[in-house]
């Protein structure tokens, strides 16, 4: 977008943020990538957070919810390979120990430190390895380590996910950076991932939390890979104010929110595109319904339909599965007005008009569906509310990956 000047650095691009990551053997015995990391702000930051709706929330989620209530934080300890979920009181005690250890080595209080985990459920953390790792990471903290920490949080992800840019406000230039992990166990209600956003802007905690919730509803909560909502979903935003630019005027608040929404949409899209075993990104646009709730229901139902996911994998323009999903979504609409089209960079084809199927060129449709990114357009001609959802196809590799996830 012309509004943003994209820059290198990812999560550590904003002023005052540093990171470090190493391998400590949390799950894998192969030293192919780091598995524990620290994100640190030189100044205390205003914080906001969104968390999983899964009743079996992991220990770090329970702990992080407490920290968000304080309104500020200065560091985040993150590990991959072990979710620290369904680990009882010991799991929560271990989370607190990690926060205390991190705080001690950084000269902070324990409640200045978030702790986030992702990986296998039901296994206690290897505390000795992790405590030693924290001590080793702290001396390596650097603003140059954004890409390294983005790799450290990956589990079944095939690529790191990060983005950063500058934004001009009335008081000057601010920077925003983000990173995320997510590939499997992805479904709306906070999606399934760890995601982090940093900014050197100055903004109130109340405004920041409201912005984050609104952006999540339009982005991460409109994403699905496999219909499973994780125990460890967590999105944290830190604003340390080190740019000296305050987000206060009505126009600046509007611009800043648009940037948070944009970065959330882009990261959600990256996660959906990297769904476990996926060969296609599916973007569903549900347009012109009576309510926003109806539009979101339709978009999510189509993006989450396993039958439609399989059709896209097979490059089969089986649009009936689109309409079927819309029909069971729970949305209210008139069936006789609906148009449906499929699109990719290879072209666009109409498959349904005013509630009835059209004869279409199957070869052209197959050519369209060979592309990586597939767009589904549903126009209900029944209102002005629209929504977009992100998903991916369902492939043989998804089963392979999840068949031996613990081993």
């Amino acid at each position: 977008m012309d509004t943003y000047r994209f820059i290198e650095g990812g999560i550590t691009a904003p002023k005052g943020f540093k990171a470090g990551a190493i391998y400590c053997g949390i799950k894998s015995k192969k030293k192919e990538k780091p598995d524990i990391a620290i994100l640190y702000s030189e100044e205390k930051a205003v914080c906001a957070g969104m968390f999983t709706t899964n009743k079996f929330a992991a220990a770090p989620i329970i702990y992080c919810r407490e920290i968000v209530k304080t309104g500020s934080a200065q560091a985040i300890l993150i590990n991959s390979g072990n979710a620290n979920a369904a680990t009882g009181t010991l799991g929560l005690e271990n989370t607190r120990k990690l926060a205390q250890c991190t705080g001690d080595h950084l000269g902070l209080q324990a409640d200045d430190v978030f702790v986030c985990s992702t990986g296998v459920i039901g296994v206690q953390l290897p505390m000795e390895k992790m405590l030693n790792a924290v001590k080793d990471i702290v001396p390596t903290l650097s603003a140059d380590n954004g890409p390294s920490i983005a790799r450290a949080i990956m589990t079944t992800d095939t690529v790191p996910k990060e983005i950063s840019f500058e934004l001009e406000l009335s008081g000057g230039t601010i920077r925003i950076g983000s990173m995320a992990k997510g590939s499997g166990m992805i479904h709306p209600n906070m999606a399934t991932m760890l995601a982090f956003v940093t900014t050197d802007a100055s903004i109130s905690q109340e405004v920041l939390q409201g912005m984050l919730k609104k952006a999540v509803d339009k982005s991460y909560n409109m994403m699905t890979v496999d219909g499973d909502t994780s125990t460890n979903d967590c999105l944290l935003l830190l604003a340390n104010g080190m740019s000296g630019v305050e987000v206060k005027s009505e126009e600046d608040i509007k611009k800043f929110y648009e940037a948070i929404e944009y970065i959330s949409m882009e990261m959600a899209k990256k996660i959906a595109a990297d769904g476990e075993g996926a060969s296609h990104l599916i973007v569903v646009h549900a347009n012109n319904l009576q309510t926003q709730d109806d539009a979101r229901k339709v978009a999510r139902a189509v993006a989450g339909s396993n039958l439609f996911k399989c059709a896209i994998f097979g490059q089969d323009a089986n649009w009936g599965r689109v309409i079927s999903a819309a029909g069971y979504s729970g949305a209210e609409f008139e069936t006789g007005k609906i148009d449906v089209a499929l699109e990719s960079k290879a072209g666009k084809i109409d498959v349904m008009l005013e509630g009835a199927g059209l004869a279409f060129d199957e070869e052209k449709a197959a050519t369209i569906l060979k592309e990586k990114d597939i767009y589904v357009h549903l126009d209900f001609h029944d209102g002005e509310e629209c929504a977009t959802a992100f998903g991916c196809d369902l492939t043989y590799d998804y089963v392979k990956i999840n068949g031996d996830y613990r081993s």
Side-chain angles (χ1 to χ4, degrees):
M1 292 181 65
D2 295 338
T3 309
Y4 312 124
R5 188 171 77 84
F6 293 92
I7 57 176
E8 299 294 325
I11 197 71
T12 54
K15 292 180 181 178
F17 286 96
K18 298 179 178 180
I22 63 172
Y23 167 84
C24 75
I26 291 174
K27 178 188 174 186
S28 174
K29 295 180 181 179
K30 300 176 182 178
K31 298 184 180 181
E32 68 274 14
K33 78 170 189 67
D35 55 9
I36 186 167
I38 294 174
L39 176 64
Y40 169 70
S41 173
E42 294 175 358
E43 298 289 342
K44 187 167 285 192
V46 168
C47 66
M50 294 292 292
F51 306 99
T52 183
T53 57
N54 193 310
K55 289 185 180 297
F56 239 118
I61 296 298
I62 296 169
Y63 171 77
C64 286
R65 283 173 175 159
E66 297 174 3
I67 304 303
V68 163
K69 291 177 183 177
T70 70
S72 64
Q74 204 165 340
I76 307 174
L77 177 70
I78 315 161
N79 75 270
S80 60
N82 186 315
N84 193 14
T87 49
T89 56
L90 179 58
L92 187 56
E93 289 173 9
N94 285 338
T95 297
R96 298 188 188 282
K97 285 180 182 178
L98 287 168
Q100 185 66 61
C101 176
T102 305
D104 289 345
H105 286 289
L106 290 172
L108 308 175
Q109 298 298 311
D111 61 5
D112 290 327
V113 182
F114 285 108
V115 177
C116 301
S117 301
T118 181
V120 175
I121 292 171
V123 180
Q124 296 293 343
L125 296 172
M127 288 298 291
E128 184 176 355
K129 291 179 179 180
M130 295 178 70
L131 293 171
N132 287 333
V134 169
K135 177 183 65 176
D136 292 338
I137 292 172
V138 170
T140 73
L141 293 176
S142 167
D144 297 327
N145 287 338
S148 178
I149 190 175
R151 289 185 65 243
I153 65 176
M154 293 165 55
T155 50
T156 57
D157 307 59
T158 64
V159 293
K161 303 164 182 69
E162 54 186 338
I163 189 174
S164 47
F165 54 79
E166 291 182 337
L167 174 66
E168 289 294 328
L169 298 178
S170 62
T173 303
I174 66 165
R175 291 183 169 191
I176 303 176
S178 183
M179 67 176 183
K181 66 79 52 182
S183 187
M185 219 180 188
I186 304 285
H187 190 63
N189 290 325
M190 199 42 218
T192 317
M193 80 297 151
L194 298 182
F196 307 92
V197 182
T198 55
T199 180
D200 49 22
S202 175
I203 187 170
S204 77
Q205 200 269 345
E206 182 180 4
V207 171
L208 196 66
Q209 183 65 46
M211 285 183 177
L212 192 63
K213 184 181 186 307
K214 184 178 178 181
V216 163
D217 283 343
K218 294 191 71 172
S219 57
Y220 292 108
N221 280 352
M222 295 299 292
M223 169 179 61
T224 184
V225 168
D226 50 21
D228 280 280
T229 298
S230 170
T231 55
N232 289 63
D233 297 343
C234 180
L235 169 59
L236 297 174
L237 197 165
L238 299 181
N240 68 10
M242 291 186 66
S243 67
V245 177
E246 188 173 7
V247 183
K248 193 172 183 179
S249 72
E250 186 174 328
E251 182 62 24
D252 282 349
I253 289 174
K254 179 177 181 291
K255 284 185 178 180
F256 187 79
Y257 169 72
E258 288 173 350
I260 296 301
E261 181 183 298
Y262 172 76
I263 211 168
S264 299
M265 294 287 279
E266 286 300 300
M267 297 306 286
K269 191 184 300 183
K270 287 176 184 287
I271 290 173
D274 193 31
E276 287 175 341
S279 59
H280 296 280
L281 169 69
I282 302 171
V283 181
V284 181
H285 298 293
N287 298 322
N288 301 315
L289 287 104
Q290 286 287 333
T291 69
Q292 180 65 201
D293 183 57
D294 284 338
R296 289 179 178 176
K297 283 178 178 177
V298 169
R300 285 188 294 192
V302 175
S305 165
N306 283 338
L307 287 176
F308 184 56
K309 288 171 175 287
C310 291
I312 294 299
F313 172 59
Q315 299 170 16
D316 176 16
N318 191 343
W319 60 269
R321 292 175 175 180
V322 173
I323 289 303
S324 176
Y328 65 62
S329 68
E332 294 294 330
F333 55 82
E334 293 185 33
T335 60
K337 298 180 179 180
I338 306 168
D339 301 338
V340 179
L342 305 175
E343 183 182 17
S344 72
K345 68 179 184 180
K348 184 176 182 180
I349 192 165
D350 296 318
V351 295
M352 184 178 190
L353 182 65
E354 297 180 350
L358 295 172
F360 60 88
D361 185 334
E362 292 283 357
E363 290 187 8
K364 179 181 177 181
T367 299
I368 289 170
L369 296 182
K370 286 179 181 177
E371 299 296 331
K372 170 70 175 175
D373 298 347
I374 307 299
Y375 299 87
V376 184
H377 304 278
L378 297 94
D379 193 335
F380 290 80
H381 300 286
D382 196 30
E384 298 181 352
E385 295 295 329
C386 304
T388 300
F390 308 100
C392 62
D393 58 343
L394 188 58
T395 72
Y396 306 130
D397 285 340
Y398 178 84
V399 177
K400 291 178 182 177
I401 290 167
N402 284 282
D404 61 0
Y405 181 73
R406 293 181 70 252
S407 56

